[in-house]
Amino acid sequence: MIDRRGAIAGIAALTGTFVARPVRSQSLDTVNMGKLIGLTDAAFYIADKKGYFREQNLNVVWTTFPQSQAMVAPLAQGQLDGMGASVSAGIYNAIGAGIPIKIVGDRGIDYAPYGALPLVVRTELIKNGRFKKLSDLKGLRFAEPGKGSANLPIVYRFMKKAGLKYDDCEHVFLPFPDQVAGMGNGNLDVSTMIEPFAAAVVKNGTAVRFMADYEAYPNHQVSALMFSNNFVQKRTEVAKRFMIGYVRGLRYYHDALKDGKLAGPTADDVIAILQDQIKLPDPSIWHSVVPSSVQTNGRVDAASLQYDYDVFRELGLIQTPVSVPNSIDMSFADNANRVLGPYKARA
């Protein structure tokens, strides 16, 4: 991590932003955090690159995982203090199995005009007339990143909007990068594909963006920040400091948003940070991405999380019932907002 304290202090002075800084010690507190590789990791990347965590006397060690479920065991074993992930059926099953995971903050919420999980349809199906309207989803090969993933409720809502049931299509489970290839070789028909992969298949011509996810499922809590019980209870002050740095990252990302694109005041910087981490072969794709938004106060949409849980239960994917409200702890986000003060958008 690069020490950017001097530069950030100068920015704070120019913008009038007050940032609480802990008393410096000789060593930094280490936080072990799991992450994926995608747009919903933006606040992680930003807070790390801009030095927001270091200003909170933290050394954040990142471990990248291929999917959300792969983080659960390391979190339960104390190898991770927290993780950024979609809230899948697997997360609730882990909680039901006695792994005390707390959902503590927002990582992406989709409401008009922001939606990072659009419905994309293979171009050939549009050209040959096989797909003209939502009800044509019936019988198609619908890709999802995993069984019981956070994409499932979006797929469920698209099928419902089409007057169909969830199982009226063929579900194919593939990670998003593999879905890009699947669209290209004709093995997949449709997906609620996450950005920037959705923008990539549209740009290369293998798929068409047919409908925004928020048209079927507005205000969907796409992803969340989660802490381990040990981090919450035994390292509470460290967890609070992490959240302060994280919320600053959320706010900086939010300032990059404008008119459904990465086109706000901080967009160029945010795109550079994202490209450095994700390394798209064609960096210009970032300008055509329709990103998720975020809550500048860091809080999650509890109603959306409850809806997703109910869908998982309806489809028989929840092994042991759990209380969604009891799985949410907004105290860390609330504390960060008290420390940072109200969000003020950059001009």
Side-chain angles (χ1 to χ4, degrees):
M1 296 174 62
I2 299 172
D3 189 347
R4 302 282 298 277
R5 285 174 290 178
I8 293 172
I11 292 171
L14 289 172
T15 60
T17 303
F18 170 75
V19 181
R21 296 178 174 84
V23 176
R24 295 288 174 190
S25 64
Q26 292 183 343
S27 61
L28 304 177
D29 291 309
T30 297
V31 175
N32 293 297
M33 190 66 53
K35 67 178 184 67
L36 303 171
I37 299 178
L39 189 56
T40 53
D41 287 311
F44 281 168
Y45 301 147
I46 291 166
D48 196 20
K49 182 70 173 179
K50 306 297 284 185
Y52 298 160
F53 292 130
R54 192 174 183 87
E55 286 194 7
Q56 292 300 316
N57 209 29
L58 301 176
N59 171 42
V60 183
V61 178
W62 306 98
T63 303
T64 302
F65 292 83
Q67 58 182 338
S68 301
Q69 191 61 29
M71 302 186 211
V72 172
L75 193 79
Q77 295 163 5
Q79 297 168 8
L80 292 177
D81 296 306
M83 61 185 186
S86 58
V87 189
S88 63
I91 297 298
Y92 290 119
N93 283 328
I95 294 172
I99 300 173
I101 300 170
K102 287 295 184 182
I103 301 167
V104 298
D106 176 38
R107 267 170 42 94
I109 185 168
D110 284 0
Y111 55 82
Y114 299 98
L117 288 160
L119 183 71
V120 295
V121 180
R122 185 157 54 87
T123 302
E124 183 61 28
L125 299 180
I126 301 291
K127 288 182 175 180
N128 65 22
R130 169 63 178 84
F131 194 94
K132 297 179 180 178
K133 54 188 182 302
L134 273 185
S135 58
D136 292 333
L137 286 169
K138 188 170 184 177
L140 293 184
R141 291 162 294 185
F142 206 137
E144 299 176 46
K147 189 175 180 63
S149 73
N151 274 56
L152 186 155
I154 306 174
V155 175
Y156 181 96
R157 290 285 282 261
F158 271 115
M159 298 298 286
K160 184 176 181 181
K161 188 176 179 68
L164 301 170
K165 295 181 180 179
Y166 174 74
D167 286 329
D168 282 339
C169 61
E170 179 186 346
H171 300 283
V172 181
F173 303 109
L174 284 173
F176 289 117
D178 293 339
Q179 291 184 27
V180 173
M183 283 290 179
N185 60 31
N187 287 332
L188 298 178
D189 298 322
V190 63
S191 171
T192 50
M193 191 180 293
I194 199 166
E195 295 283 17
F197 302 109
V201 294
V202 171
K203 186 163 186 176
N204 70 24
T206 59
V208 173
R209 191 188 300 267
F210 187 81
M211 187 176 289
D213 54 347
Y214 54 73
E215 294 183 64
Y217 188 171
N219 303 321
H220 180 222
Q221 186 68 56
V222 175
S223 187
L225 173 64
M226 302 172 223
F227 285 167
S228 71
N229 191 57
N230 184 68
F231 198 44
V232 168
Q233 295 191 355
K234 297 182 179 180
R235 303 182 70 204
T236 308
E237 291 306 313
V238 176
K240 286 180 178 179
R241 284 188 272 128
F242 180 91
M243 184 61 80
I244 292 168
Y246 178 73
V247 170
R248 288 189 70 194
L250 286 177
R251 293 180 176 188
Y252 195 87
Y253 169 79
H254 191 273
D255 286 331
L257 304 179
K258 182 181 179 182
D259 301 328
K261 300 288 185 180
L262 290 169
T266 63
D268 288 345
D269 193 23
V270 167
I271 287 173
I273 292 170
L274 287 168
Q275 177 61 18
D276 181 61
Q277 293 292 325
I278 299 177
K279 295 178 174 57
L280 293 182
D282 181 1
S284 68
I285 289 174
W286 289 113
H287 296 284
S288 59
V289 160
V290 180
S292 290
S293 187
V294 293
Q295 306 279 32
T296 56
N297 60 13
R299 294 177 64 87
V300 297
D301 189 306
S304 173
L305 293 174
Q306 183 66 59
Y307 178 86
D308 290 0
Y309 171 84
D310 292 341
V311 170
F312 295 143
R313 283 207 68 188
E314 177 186 329
L315 297 177
L317 297 171
I318 298 296
Q319 297 168 5
T320 302
V322 301
S323 167
V324 174
N326 288 346
S327 303
I328 300 171
D329 183 350
M330 290 293 94
S331 65
F332 294 94
D334 292 344
N335 176 73
N337 281 279
R338 284 192 295 270
V339 172
L340 295 172
Y343 166 70
K344 294 180 181 179
R346 295 169 194 257

